[in-house]
Amino acid sequence: MKLSYLWEAPEVNPINRKARSVPFLNVFNVYGRVFFFSWWGFMVAFWGWYAFPPLLTHTIKNNLHLTSAQVANSNIVSLCATLGIRLVAGPACDHFGPRWVFAGTLLIGSVPLGLAPLVHNAQGLYISRFFIGILGGSFVPCQVWSTSFFDKNVVGTANALTGGWGNAGGGITYFIMPAVLDSLVKRGYSDGVAWRLTFIVPLIITIATGLSMLLLCPDTPTGKWSERHAHADQNLASHGGSLFSSPPNGLVDIPGNITDKADYTGDKSIHEVERDRKPVPFDHEAQLSKEEMLETARGEIVQKPDWGTAMSVTLSPQTLFHILTYMCSFGAELAVNAVLSSYYLQNFPRLGQTVSADWAAMFGFMNLVTRPLGGAISDVAYRASGRSLWAKKLWVVACGCLAGAVFVVIGRLDPHHLPTMVGLVALVAVFVEAGNGANFALIPHVHPHANGMVAGVTGAGGNLGGVVFAVIFRFMDNGTDYAKAFWVIGIITIVLNVCLCWVKPIPSGQVGGH
């Protein structure tokens, strides 16, 4: 690792052109620019998605005359919409490309975000938060886009950084929304008008980000998403290899089943045409063996989704492992994000709405460090263990078990001592958010021909966990016994991670992803 990797043009994989370092200080480089828009786009989406909770604790709750149960119901409704969007976003990424899906979720989600000020009762709040939940679906294209630009040696770090910095939007919203509200109130606006005006800020930034993504960034390192197979075959041929995996020729019906039939172009076979092509020189190419280049072309180019592939990929033990463990980690993060400000206010009434929101913001802000740390440790363990994927897998399980243990401690102590509360919340954030990063550091290795599908159902699993855990919060003493909910969530997290630790990291015989 060199410091110059932070800004220099990276070495690239000669077949798929994926970068082998992350130039995140260089937005003029295409890899640095895509990296920036991946995390920034998700951060803005998360901010808009969670724009309501920081103000629901007191201002909106009083203005709309809501009960605690209605506030909890709105949290559940918001997560339900995102679950559906993430399920659709995965196959959509494989079909249309992640850039278009990413920009689409931002621009479509900005419509209900802009209409949020029209809410005047509980039913309106449910409808508004349901459709704003579209923004939460942007996580899937964020991770798929990042995976399509960064190679296996750094993809865990890249995905963890984009996901972690994006998740920090959950902290930003708890900091910015109350601050903007307080500023407007000081200028003479009533609470009812002020909270509605605050939504203008995330709305403008969301629209600008979606449009910039379309105008300034490419689909893949090789160009258009629809041409990714042709570019991979061409790059392989230019380096002395030969593989024809383009779906239109029928040469790869499922990933890894390579036929050797010849096709013809004019009077020459494709084999002769490819042999006659002159190698195309590229700067900054990494040195890979012929076997590694063949594996990349055979198993790591995303295929167009179909129903049979969707079912086999989704129901494989490896995908189910990611769905259920991410359900525990990201699901817990979502549910806790929605109630943490209220929990602080309940245990420490003297703090008030704004200060409680500031302390709650810490949980989301820690994603700036903790989720990237989870991915970075995963990549380090992968390299240190001789590229063993079991190292990445066991790190996911360890994070899950440790997070569950801290949840149980919070639930049993129910701290009324502020430093204790803050310390325990920070500790659980470390393991929950590092677990998220570790999970998506392993996902690019699992069924790489269907990366969008695996990322989509896993992301949806996170939202399913958010719904399940939000329901637990909702029905613990009518939405007010936060401590007991923490304890229950901890037990669920530990049990699921222990029960799933036997699953192999990738399917036996899988081509690519090693």
Side-chain angles (χ1 to χ4, degrees):
M1 174 66 183
K2 299 177 182 178
L3 187 62
S4 59
Y5 286 167
L6 303 181
W7 61 82
E8 284 185 348
E11 281 192 341
V12 298
N13 184 304
I15 305 304
N16 54 29
R17 314 306 298 164
K18 292 184 181 183
R20 295 178 67 80
S21 61
V22 184
F24 64 83
L25 296 181
N26 185 358
V27 295
F28 297 102
N29 178 271
V30 65
Y31 297 97
R33 189 160 62 252
V34 167
F35 174 79
F36 168 77
F37 275 103
S38 293
W39 72 261
W40 174 261
F42 183 45
M43 186 192 74
V44 169
F46 209 115
W47 174 7
W49 182 24
Y50 269 70
F52 267 111
L55 308 180
L56 269 175
T57 305
H58 176 72
T59 303
I60 297 178
K61 182 179 180 182
N62 291 343
N63 182 250
L64 301 184
H65 309 291
L66 304 174
T67 65
S68 296
Q70 288 172 326
V71 171
N73 289 340
S74 75
N75 292 333
I76 297 170
V77 167
S78 174
L79 295 173
C80 287
T82 306
L83 191 159
I85 294 297
R86 291 188 175 191
L87 282 174
V88 174
C93 285
D94 288 344
H95 193 281
F96 301 106
R99 179 177 68 109
W100 285 98
V101 178
F102 203 164
T105 57
L106 290 175
L107 295 175
I108 295 171
S110 68
V111 175
L113 183 64
L115 296 175
L118 301 180
V119 170
H120 287 281
N121 52 41
Q123 288 70 32
L125 178 66
Y126 297 157
I127 294 171
S128 179
R129 295 202 67 187
F130 179 85
F131 286 104
I132 288 176
I134 292 170
L135 291 170
S138 63
F139 171 74
V140 174
C142 162
Q143 296 293 279
V144 177
W145 203 21
S146 175
T147 297
S148 70
F149 271 80
F150 297 98
D151 212 11
K152 294 189 296 291
N153 66 312
V154 294
V155 71
T157 302
N159 281 357
L161 284 166
T162 55
W165 292 0
N167 271 7
I172 287 172
T173 190
Y174 271 100
F175 179 74
I176 293 181
M177 297 301 280
V180 174
L181 175 74
D182 290 345
S183 175
L184 291 169
V185 170
K186 288 178 182 178
R187 291 174 179 270
Y189 292 96
S190 66
D191 285 354
V193 173
W195 78 256
R196 290 175 168 86
L197 291 176
T198 59
F199 279 79
I200 295 174
V201 181
L203 173 65
I204 292 173
I205 297 177
T206 300
I207 294 173
T209 301
L211 293 176
S212 298
M213 199 176 286
L214 291 176
L215 295 173
L216 301 176
C217 300
D219 290 335
T220 73
T222 56
K224 293 182 179 179
W225 183 258
S226 59
E227 299 172 355
R228 63 196 183 280
H229 298 284
H231 285 300
D233 289 347
Q234 183 179 0
N235 290 340
L236 183 64
S238 71
H239 288 80
S242 180
L243 180 70
F244 308 100
S245 56
S246 181
N249 289 334
L251 297 168
V252 179
D253 48 357
I254 58 174
N257 288 0
I258 309 299
T259 63
D260 194 31
K261 70 178 182 182
D263 198 356
Y264 288 85
T265 302
D267 295 328
K268 291 185 177 182
S269 72
I270 285 184
H271 290 282
E272 293 172 320
V273 172
E274 295 291 348
R275 186 186 61 212
D276 294 340
R277 284 181 181 170
K278 293 182 180 180
V280 180
F282 289 101
D283 293 331
H284 306 294
E285 277 193 350
Q287 297 299 312
L288 300 184
S289 67
K290 187 173 182 178
E291 289 72 21
E292 287 176 310
M293 289 191 285
L294 284 169
E295 182 180 283
T296 298
R298 291 175 64 196
E300 297 179 18
I301 305 299
V302 173
Q303 306 294 316
K304 186 176 180 179
D306 58 68
W307 182 251
T309 301
M311 293 304 295
S312 63
V313 167
T314 302
L315 297 179
S316 73
Q318 287 72 26
T319 304
L320 293 175
F321 166 81
H322 285 288
I323 292 172
L324 293 173
T325 53
Y326 200 63
M327 183 185 82
C328 293
S329 59
F330 191 64
E333 181 180 347
L334 291 177
V336 170
N337 249 329
V339 304
L340 193 54
S341 180
S342 299
Y343 191 16
Y344 272 111
L345 191 59
Q346 181 188 78
N347 281 16
F348 311 99
R350 68 183 184 278
L351 296 179
Q353 175 180 261
T354 300
V355 178
S356 294
D358 289 343
W359 280 116
M362 178 193 69
F363 186 77
F365 270 131
M366 287 186 66
N367 271 295
L368 290 168
V369 176
T370 51
R371 184 160 183 155
L373 182 66
I377 290 175
S378 185
D379 280 347
V380 169
Y382 172 65
R383 292 190 292 267
S385 60
R387 298 175 65 182
S388 169
L389 293 175
W390 274 104
K392 286 194 170 190
K393 161 72 185 299
L394 293 176
W395 173 231
V396 176
V397 174
C399 287
C401 291
L402 291 169
V406 182
F407 273 130
V408 171
V409 172
I410 293 174
R412 300 305 295 172
L413 290 181
D414 189 18
H416 284 72
H417 179 244
L418 186 59
T420 302
M421 178 74 158
V422 171
L424 287 173
V425 168
L427 185 60
V428 79
V430 169
F431 296 119
V432 165
E433 294 160 7
N436 293 335
N439 209 308
F440 271 82
L442 178 56
I443 280 176
H445 299 271
V446 181
H447 304 298
H449 66 280
N451 179 252
M453 205 169 296
V454 178
V457 295
T458 301
N463 266 84
L464 176 62
V467 172
V468 171
F469 296 152
V471 169
I472 290 174
F473 277 114
R474 164 67 177 83
F475 288 101
M476 293 298 171
D477 197 13
N478 206 27
T480 59
D481 194 345
Y482 302 113
K484 187 175 182 181
F486 269 79
W487 183 86
V488 172
I489 290 170
I491 294 297
I492 293 173
T493 299
I494 293 171
V495 169
L496 280 177
N497 275 275
V498 170
C499 290
L500 292 166
C501 66
W502 60 271
V503 177
K504 293 181 179 179
I506 61 174
S508 299
Q510 174 182 289
V511 176
H514 295 279

